[in-house]
Amino acid sequence: MAEPLGRVAVVTAAADGIGAATAHAFAASGDALVLVDIDGANLERAAGEIRDAVATAGRAEPEILVVTADVTDENAVDSLVAGSLERFGRIDVLVNVVGGSRPGKTAVELSSAEWQQLLALNLTSTFLMCRAVVPHMEQRGSGAIVNVSSGAGLRGMSKNPGYCAAKAGVVGLTRALAIDHGPNGVRVNCVAPGPVRTPLMRRNGTPEEIASMGRLALMGRIGEPHEIAAAIHWLASDGASYVMGQTIEVDGGPAASI
């Protein structure tokens, strides 16, 4: 197959929330997409919504490869990256959105199995995807990776030690990747969102709880997925060509603590 005219962007956790919003942003730029999620049904729905949005805007239908995969699984990651290269011939952008939070237990209360699950979902998935994609980007001499951490990985949060530790690890991994692979043309950066109105948040929190989170920000509200996607899209663009190894907080500005 001939290579797409635009970039080829791989986006994980693309079935909804920040991942789906990020996929929309790249599609609007005319980029080809590899959409990855463990939820195949919702992933197909998200791909259809992207095609509809692009058609409504009067643009050409984007090239989309939909891949149902568990990116905590090493073999699944290697397979999806190989399939992406077979389909498009290259990967220009990788966005690691996969993650999840299970608050409610302190480090003393958290089991070893729960700890390992949180690390796998929030940190190992990003490591595996980067490890699979970076050699291809280095061979081409160019590429952009944007990892998604969390404000919890920078400042911590109550009763969520596994998530905090894993998301802090994403920040450290981002910096390490930039140091090791930046000289070979691979730009690696990170976004650390604050509270965002994702489907998961709407399922887990009441409107009152969500509103109270927003009051902790200077902007007086929580973020929307498209606002995080805009930061991700910029970091992957030529407009951020001199940004390397950074973690950008997109959180509405934390209010003063005193």
Side-chain angles (χ1 to χ4, degrees):
M1 182 177 190
E3 288 193 3
L5 294 177
R7 297 174 299 178
V8 177
V10 178
V11 182
T12 69
D16 59 24
I18 294 170
T22 298
H24 274 273
F26 282 100
S29 296
D31 298 321
L33 295 170
V34 180
L35 305 182
V36 184
D37 203 287
I38 199 169
D39 184 346
N42 277 324
L43 188 61
E44 291 286 358
R45 174 194 52 76
E49 290 176 353
I50 289 169
R51 292 187 179 98
D52 291 343
V54 170
T56 299
R59 295 189 298 270
E61 181 174 331
E63 296 182 64
I64 299 177
L65 175 63
V66 175
V67 182
T68 302
D70 177 0
V71 294
T72 68
D73 181 276
E74 183 174 355
N75 292 329
V77 167
D78 291 343
S79 177
L80 81 87
V81 170
S84 302
L85 292 173
E86 181 179 359
R87 168 71 180 273
F88 293 118
R90 69 178 197 271
I91 295 172
D92 302 298
V93 177
L94 169 61
V95 184
N96 289 302
V97 184
V98 165
S101 174
R102 300 185 196 122
K105 295 182 179 181
T106 68
V108 173
E109 298 162 333
L110 199 67
S111 71
S112 295
E114 290 170 318
W115 169 265
Q116 292 297 335
Q117 289 168 357
L118 288 165
L119 290 186
L121 181 62
N122 291 286
L123 179 57
T124 303
S125 61
T126 296
F127 160 71
L128 291 175
M129 288 297 300
C130 289
R131 188 181 66 175
V133 170
V134 164
H136 166 72
M137 289 182 170
E138 286 190 308
Q139 185 177 27
R140 290 178 59 87
S142 67
I145 296 174
V146 183
N147 298 322
V148 176
S149 177
S150 168
L154 300 174
R155 289 179 297 277
M157 66 181 294
S158 175
K159 294 186 176 181
N160 211 352
Y163 180 73
C164 292
K167 287 303 189 181
V170 172
V171 173
L173 177 61
T174 296
R175 185 66 181 167
L177 288 164
I179 291 168
D180 289 337
H181 306 289
N184 297 323
V186 183
R187 282 197 309 110
V188 191
N189 290 289
C190 184
V191 167
V196 180
R197 198 187 310 275
T198 62
L200 178 63
M201 174 172 282
R202 292 197 298 271
R203 288 193 297 269
N204 291 345
T206 67
E208 292 75 19
E209 289 170 335
I210 294 172
S212 69
M213 292 180 194
R215 287 192 288 272
L216 298 176
L218 293 176
M219 295 192 71
R221 62 173 177 83
I222 67 170
E224 300 295 338
H226 74 271
E227 294 175 306
I228 312 304
I232 293 169
H233 186 264
W234 176 74
L235 281 173
S237 74
D238 290 342
S241 59
Y242 200 52
V243 182
M244 174 69 85
Q246 300 302 305
T247 295
I248 297 179
E249 297 183 71
V250 187
D251 57 6
S257 58
I258 58 173

